Amino acid sequence: FRDGLHLSHIVVRPAMPLLLALSGLAPGLALHAPAAARSRSPCMQIKSPERPGSVADMSAAMADMREQLAADERTSALISAMRGTNINDDDNAASGTTLQVVEMRAGDDSLPTEYDPAALSAYFRKRPGAVLTRIGQLALYGGAWVAKTLLSALRGELTSGSEGEVAAVAGLRDVLVSLGPFYIKLGQALSIRPDILSPQAMVQLQQLCDKVPPFESAVAMQCVRDELGVEDVSELFSTITPEPVAAASLGQVYKATLREGGDEVAVKVQ
């Protein structure tokens, strides 16, 4: 760098594609390829214009690059998908889909809340019915989607960005929602992976980030009663919304008013 902040001289080896890209993005840069370079390993030089550069010139070049990126349809779709701007706020992910709940048989033990393989194995060994029920849910909902997707793949309908891919990912979203929080988290992780999914397909999974259907309120209210040790939630709350006001992958929130004091509170069940 000389005379302040400007591009003075760069030697690039052997970045021919980069130079071609730079020549298109910043026409003011002159590209020089020495004649001797043609007979040896590529060596390209980028030299600045005669007049010194400035921060304003660099900003203008970056603005031109952003405009060219936005002009490319696929790049524009990718940027929109990464920002989540294509999501319709009125849409609900997998609207009408019911979370598949497995009822656990009561016992003298409780489900471990920390990862302990031995404790988890002992817990579920006493409840083979719950394990078989869950395996059945995975096979029924996941298996049906896998079979349908494989058929579409054999027909060549799953090319990147195609309607077939978008439909397949939308179907996967429904399956993930029905199988519960763990699978919803997997979908959220996939929603920011442009190396795996096209931008159009990513949008379908991004709805899992804040538009997850709630589980049944009867289950939530039973959880509140068990956790707080009351026969009915009305013992603690003078009012509570019958349905959640918000829901995410691991919980949902109800608006309530405390019977003592009259304070409005948020009751989160997860």
Side-chain angles (χ1 to χ4, degrees):
F1 292 90
R2 300 174 183 173
D3 303 326
L5 183 62
H6 68 275
L7 185 61
S8 173
H9 187 271
I10 296 179
V11 176
V12 183
R13 298 175 183 267
M16 175 69 74
L18 174 61
L19 294 174
L20 295 177
L22 287 174
S23 66
L25 297 179
L29 294 178
L31 305 184
H32 299 273
R38 299 190 184 97
S39 60
R40 61 176 184 267
S41 60
C43 176
M44 300 296 292
Q45 295 181 340
I46 304 177
K47 292 186 177 180
S48 64
E50 295 299 328
R51 60 183 178 81
S54 65
V55 175
D57 294 335
M58 296 173 64
S59 298
M62 292 299 295
D64 291 340
M65 180 165 49
R66 285 194 296 268
E67 290 180 2
Q68 292 189 28
L69 290 175
D72 181 77
E73 183 178 355
R74 179 174 176 80
T75 304
S76 179
L78 175 60
I79 294 174
S80 297
M82 294 298 291
R83 292 175 177 173
T85 55
N86 290 330
I87 298 178
N88 185 345
D89 289 336
D90 295 331
D91 292 339
N92 285 320
S95 179
T97 302
T98 303
L99 291 178
Q100 300 303 308
V101 179
V102 178
E103 297 290 342
M104 294 292 184
R105 178 179 56 81
D108 54 0
D109 56 352
S110 59
L111 181 66
T113 56
E114 297 182 0
Y115 181 68
D116 185 341
L120 289 169
S121 177
Y123 179 85
F124 285 107
R125 194 180 300 115
K126 297 178 182 179
R127 297 165 175 82
V131 174
L132 292 175
T133 299
R134 189 55 171 172
I135 293 175
Q137 291 173 350
L138 292 172
L140 178 61
Y141 294 93
W145 178 83
V146 169
K148 184 177 180 180
T149 303
L150 286 176
L151 183 60
S152 297
L154 292 175
R155 293 174 177 172
E157 300 174 352
L158 297 184
T159 56
S160 179
S162 65
E163 293 183 1
E165 184 202 27
V166 173
V169 174
L172 175 62
R173 181 194 64 201
D174 295 348
V175 172
L176 296 177
V177 169
S178 67
L179 293 178
F182 173 78
Y183 297 92
I184 292 174
K185 286 296 183 184
L186 291 180
Q188 291 174 351
L190 280 174
S191 72
I192 54 173
R193 294 295 302 273
D195 56 325
I196 298 177
L197 299 174
S198 69
Q200 294 85 349
M202 287 168 56
V203 171
Q204 298 298 321
L205 292 181
Q206 284 174 350
Q207 294 182 22
L208 296 175
C209 296
D210 61 350
K211 301 176 183 298
V212 179
F215 52 85
E216 295 181 6
S217 290
V219 176
M221 292 300 105
Q222 183 60 49
C223 180
V224 172
R225 290 192 292 269
D226 293 342
E227 290 288 329
L228 301 181
V230 296
E231 293 294 330
D232 193 276
V233 294
S234 61
E235 297 179 26
L236 298 174
F237 310 110
S238 57
T239 61
I240 185 169
T241 54
E243 297 297 330
V245 295
S249 58
L250 295 179
Q252 54 198 46
V253 178
Y254 296 83
K255 182 179 179 181
T257 303
L258 291 177
R259 186 167 291 281
E260 294 184 6
D263 295 332
E264 288 190 345
V265 297
V267 181
K268 183 177 180 180
V269 183
Q270 64 181 26

